[in-house]
Amino acid sequence: MEEVKVLINEERLSKRVKEIGEQIQEEYKGKEIILICILKGSVFFTVDLAKIIKGNVKLEFIRVSSYTDGTESSGKIDLKLDLNDSIEGKDVIVVEDIIDTGRTLSYLIDYLKTKKPNSIKLCALLDKVERRIQEVNVDYTGFQIPDKFVVGYGLDVDEKYRNLPYVGYIE
Ligand code: IMP
Ligand code: MG
């Protein structure tokens, strides 16, 4: 196995997740929130975030595969698992692990808008801003990170390392 170096440790992760959760709680006071977790990478982040937000939170799961042409997503995306319940008229927050080129999310947000939610916001734990090809509007960002391949806290390389409690990188 490759060596994984720590980029964001557990303490920084949980502090930032708590801040974002509290901000969301404040901004959605009294409203029902639908958190849409994008499988599999966002599972750890979504669960931790959901536990911070006090109030009416429901969870939905969606799964997409983005085809890569070598190192980046090609823009061709396949919906592998769709929403379970209708989000029409709901206040939705899409929770993503990482934004790289932005192609996956821009497709997904367009798709979700066709389901007529009342509002839709985007919350991403990590953002590799300098890699952006397709513009996406991120409402809540955990950390902006340099262009490194990261793993842990849900993120994988060939399904490995998702269970690391920190975000690390492989050189
Ligand atoms: P985008 O369409 O290029 O923004 O790709 C985003 C998707 O690529 C994410 O949801 C991840 O699944 C994957 N990805 C991008 N960068 C990384 C990384 O550094 N580590 C693990 N997965 C990544
Ligand atoms: Mg992903």
Side-chain angles (χ1 to χ4, degrees), residues 93-151:
I93 303 176
V94 177
V95 185
E96 177 62 306
D97 50 1
I98 186 165
I99 310 179
D100 185 25
T101 64
R103 283 171 167 150
T104 306
L105 271 175
S106 104
Y107 165 88
L108 200 61
I109 299 280
D110 283 351
Y111 169 74
L112 291 171
K113 281 181 180 165
T114 69
K115 307 284 180 187
K116 301 190 169 62
N118 179 55
S119 67
I120 183 160
K121 284 198 179 183
L122 176 58
C123 175
L125 180 70
L126 306 173
D127 191 348
K128 287 188 204 171
V129 205
E130 64 190 90
R131 293 261 304 165
R132 196 63 37 81
I133 289 170
Q134 185 88 46
E135 199 189 319
V136 274
N137 211 350
V138 195
D139 300 282
Y140 309 96
T141 308
F143 302 88
Q144 294 193 346
I145 59 164
D147 182 10
K148 288 182 188 298
F149 195 83
V150 289
V151 294

Side-chain angles (χ1 to χ4, degrees), residues 38-42 96-98 104 155:
I38 311 187
L39 294 173
K40 301 175 188 172
S42 314
E96 177 62 306
D97 50 1
I98 186 165
T104 306
L155 290 142

Side-chain angles (χ1 to χ4, degrees), residues 2-55:
E2 318 72 346
E3 192 196 348
V4 181
K5 293 187 174 153
V6 179
L7 183 67
I8 306 165
N9 66 22
E10 278 185 80
E11 194 189 340
R12 285 182 66 205
L13 275 176
S14 65
K15 185 169 173 276
R16 188 69 189 117
V17 174
K18 185 164 184 281
E19 284 169 359
I20 296 173
E22 288 172 350
Q23 189 186 344
I24 290 173
Q25 182 182 315
E26 189 58 33
E27 290 176 10
Y28 285 76
K29 246 183 202 149
K31 287 184 183 166
E32 180 186 89
I33 304 170
I34 313 290
L35 292 182
I36 302 186
C37 170
I38 311 187
L39 294 173
K40 301 175 188 172
S42 314
V43 168
F44 293 66
F45 180 36
T46 305
V47 168
D48 285 347
L49 192 63
K51 286 187 286 185
I52 302 291
I53 306 168
K54 290 179 188 65

